[in-house]
Amino acid sequence: MSHNVLLTGASGYLGGSLLAAWKPAALSGFTTLYALVRTDAQAEAVVRYGAVPLKFNAYDKEEVRDAVVQHRITIVLNLIDAWKSDSQLNFLAALFEVQKLSGLQTHFVHTTGAKIFSEWAGYAVDEPLPDSTANLPDYRTEKTAHDLLKVPLANPNQPIETNEVVVQKGTELGIRTYLFVPCIVYGASEGFGNQISIQTADIVRAALATHRVYKLSDDKPNWPVCHIQDNTQYYIALIRAILNEKNPDWGANGHYLAASGSVVWDDLYEKVAQALKRRGRIEDDSVVVADKTALEAMARGLGCSKDFVAIRLAGRCSLTPEHGVSLGWKAHYPPKHILDEADAEVERILKHLDTSHDGSSK
């Protein structure tokens, strides 16, 4: 029996690009690729990429169970909701049932984020932390972990707890879990849905709200980056290894950072500021530290608390990619490429914001 695969988030920035790359990748070892959809239009779109649409509520345990068991899905590529674990637990429970029925090893690839392995999550950032390190949660400091993300939310530890729940529950059920970790991803998605990155768009949104690009500190923090095409090919490399039974690291050892290297936030801010000034969206392209007034305006532009602005636009992350080598993956675009492409990235973001009327006032 070969695998059946389910992709969630097919209309999103990362998921859409993965869907578009599926057929060209010529993967073997599976029978059907299913894609979770919400609308008829999305269903029509995924069919064009060779996927079979499935419409169900990922947060309803019975609906998930019925869809996964009925279609004998053995691999779930989860690209929705990195924050809470409700849907993940539903999928894991359903995969466990399929595993019992089929005798085939099941797999769950959960897409999380680099913030969950950064200073915001209590990780030391003084030296590189390879993504091949076992039991990464053990490298968090208790002092920082208590005020994780420092935002007024009901449970600010939730995204870290979600990662831990996925790994622990998967191990308990005998399901192989993998935490795929995107960072600052940039470039145009090749999918049918969202074409722009969340991270770079946030810089632009904040700048449009304040009429200037601000930084959050003077200490030149750095963060890992990855072009969307490289990010997609990393997904493909991991999926190919699973399908070909290459036994890629999983569970407590299964963290996969998609990054070509790191850039200093300030360098990216400067390139974005230059691109915005060139288009007449801001008058001054010098980048200065945000004061209280600017911070409040940035928060309004981002639609979040001012306490959350720095988490959206700054911080240090020392997680480094090593697992990719074991999968035969290597980034095509170097980290500085994001700086070279910043002008095109800003143009793409502005076009989207102007069309959607989302924070695009001149």
Side-chain angles (χ1 to χ4, degrees):
M1 175 182 174
S2 64
H3 290 282
N4 286 327
V5 183
L6 172 66
L7 169 65
T8 73
S11 65
Y13 177 62
L14 302 182
S17 187
L18 176 54
L19 177 63
W22 191 274
K23 286 180 71 175
L27 294 164
S28 61
F30 77 100
T31 301
T32 304
L33 172 66
Y34 295 97
L36 177 62
V37 300
R38 298 186 305 275
T39 67
D40 292 340
Q42 290 179 357
E44 293 175 4
V46 302
V47 168
R48 295 197 295 270
Y49 291 95
V52 177
L54 292 179
K55 190 183 295 184
F56 62 89
N57 181 1
Y59 298 92
D60 185 296
K61 185 175 182 178
E62 290 305 314
E63 288 191 30
V64 172
R65 185 247 174 222
D66 290 345
V68 171
V69 174
Q70 177 184 343
H71 296 94
R72 290 297 191 268
I73 291 166
T74 52
I75 300 175
V76 174
L77 310 176
N78 186 59
L79 284 83
I80 57 172
D81 199 353
W83 194 264
K84 56 184 183 294
S85 60
D86 302 50
S87 64
Q88 291 87 336
L89 288 173
N90 291 340
F91 283 119
L92 289 170
L95 286 172
F96 177 63
E97 188 165 342
V98 172
Q99 187 161 291
K100 288 193 299 181
L101 291 170
S102 68
L104 195 64
Q105 177 66 58
T106 58
H107 306 263
F108 185 78
V109 180
H110 173 60
T111 303
T112 176
K115 287 184 177 67
I116 313 307
F117 302 94
S118 71
E119 66 172 315
W120 301 120
Y123 283 86
V125 292
D126 298 330
E127 58 186 33
L129 179 61
D131 63 354
S132 57
T133 304
N135 296 305
L136 278 175
D138 293 346
Y139 289 80
R140 290 167 55 215
T141 62
E142 288 301 319
K143 179 179 180 181
T144 313
H146 281 304
D147 56 2
L148 166 66
L149 301 186
K150 302 173 183 175
V151 292
L153 298 170
N155 185 1
N157 280 289
Q158 202 164 15
I160 281 186
E161 291 174 356
T162 293
N163 286 355
E164 294 176 349
V165 164
V166 167
V167 171
Q168 292 168 3
K169 192 64 176 180
T171 301
E172 174 188 325
L173 298 177
I175 299 165
R176 295 192 178 182
T177 59
Y178 314 83
L179 299 184
F180 190 90
V181 188
C183 48
I184 299 177
V185 187
Y186 68 100
S189 172
E190 297 178 346
F192 68 89
N194 182 27
Q195 298 293 301
I196 65 169
S197 165
I198 295 173
Q199 296 90 349
T200 54
D202 276 352
I203 301 175
V204 174
R205 285 190 176 96
L208 294 176
T210 59
H211 307 290
R212 186 170 191 168
V213 176
Y214 287 93
K215 57 185 177 179
L216 282 301
S217 67
D218 262 329
D219 60 351
K220 295 186 178 299
N222 62 310
W223 202 269
V225 297
C226 192
H227 191 276
I228 181 65
Q229 293 178 10
D230 286 334
N231 187 88
T232 298
Q233 290 307 310
Y234 200 165
Y235 272 120
I236 293 293
L238 177 57
I239 296 162
R240 178 175 282 113
I242 293 170
L243 290 172
N244 292 347
E245 298 183 354
K246 298 296 185 181
N247 297 318
D249 288 341
W250 55 280
N253 301 321
H255 300 79
Y256 295 85
L257 172 69
S260 61
S262 297
V263 295
V264 175
W265 282 102
D266 294 29
D267 295 339
L268 182 55
Y269 299 151
E270 289 173 4
K271 291 294 184 180
V272 171
Q274 292 164 13
L276 288 172
K277 183 181 179 183
R278 192 174 297 118
R279 290 163 176 78
R281 297 300 184 102
I282 62 175
E283 295 182 358
D284 189 342
D285 62 3
S286 60
V287 179
V288 298
V289 177
D291 58 17
K292 181 180 179 181
T293 300
L295 194 62
E296 290 173 347
M298 293 168 76
R300 289 193 295 271
L302 294 172
C304 68
S305 161
K306 63 182 178 63
D307 298 314
F308 201 72
V309 172
I311 296 148
R312 297 273 288 267
L313 300 176
R316 294 182 185 274
C317 178
S318 66
L319 194 64
T320 57
E322 286 193 0
H323 257 144
V325 175
S326 66
L327 300 178
W329 175 84
K330 182 179 181 181
H332 176 75
Y333 297 95
K336 69 176 292 291
H337 183 259
I338 192 174
L339 306 179
D340 299 333
E341 290 295 307
D343 189 82
E345 184 81 355
V346 169
E347 178 69 21
R348 184 164 40 251
I349 292 167
L350 289 175
K351 182 178 180 181
H352 170 81
L353 296 182
D354 287 343
T355 300
S356 65
H357 305 290
D358 180 8
S360 59
S361 58
K362 295 182 180 181

